[in-house]
Amino acid sequence: MTNDTKEHSERSQTQLAEPNSPDTCTRPKAVGFVRGEVSGLHAPRHAVAVQQHARSLGYQYVYTVTPPRDNADPIGFVLAVAAGLDVAAIVVYDLAHVDDQPARVCEDFDLETVCPPGTWARVTAPTHTIAKVAGR
């Protein structure tokens, strides 16, 4: 095996191991939220920006949530998905994706925006933190 091949093989093994590394498992998780009716033709670009922003903030990025267009409550949709995945934060391109109502998200999650960059902290402590403090 040549040095180049060996180096490439070692890099590939490292890259494959990264998702299961201890650092990945301890980082808080986040989902992205992109609404097609809000982003329009920019939805693919917004989805990439949301994912990059989450990772730059140190989150373990789990998934980009795109609710069905006929969903009567797209914000409720993402809140349910986020709760099911036990994430710490929801990342959006801008506040229009949450109908300019960050408080609705912050009842249970941190909210991060790409444009302008901003953080809205959750109002309550995460349930897994409460369980640890209570000794459960």
Side-chain angles (χ1 to χ4, degrees):
M1 181 182 290
T2 67
N3 283 342
D4 289 341
T5 306
K6 184 178 178 183
E7 183 179 321
H8 175 73
S9 176
E10 288 172 1
R11 267 197 319 252
S12 296
Q13 290 173 358
T14 302
Q15 289 170 348
L16 291 174
E18 284 180 28
N20 295 324
S21 72
D23 181 52
T24 301
C25 296
T26 60
R27 291 184 296 155
K29 296 187 291 185
V31 293
F33 180 43
V34 177
R35 292 170 60 184
E37 74 275 11
V38 174
S39 291
L41 296 175
H42 300 287
R45 181 176 60 86
H46 288 178
V48 170
V50 162
Q51 183 175 7
Q52 289 174 340
H53 188 65
R55 289 190 171 144
S56 76
L57 294 171
Y59 288 104
Q60 177 187 354
Y61 194 79
V62 178
Y63 185 73
T64 300
V65 178
T66 306
R69 287 194 183 266
D70 62 347
N71 190 293
D73 184 13
I75 299 167
F77 183 87
V78 72
L79 293 174
V81 171
L85 293 172
D86 193 30
V87 301
I90 296 174
V91 185
V92 296
Y93 188 77
D94 57 27
L95 287 178
H97 289 269
V98 291
D99 294 336
D100 295 309
Q101 298 176 21
R104 182 163 179 209
V105 173
C106 294
E107 290 177 17
D108 296 304
F109 306 98
D110 290 340
L111 176 66
E112 302 284 351
T113 56
V114 174
C115 185
T119 301
W120 284 261
R122 84 178 75 223
V123 176
T124 60
T127 55
H128 61 275
T129 302
I130 293 170
K132 286 179 186 176
V133 171
R136 292 184 222 163

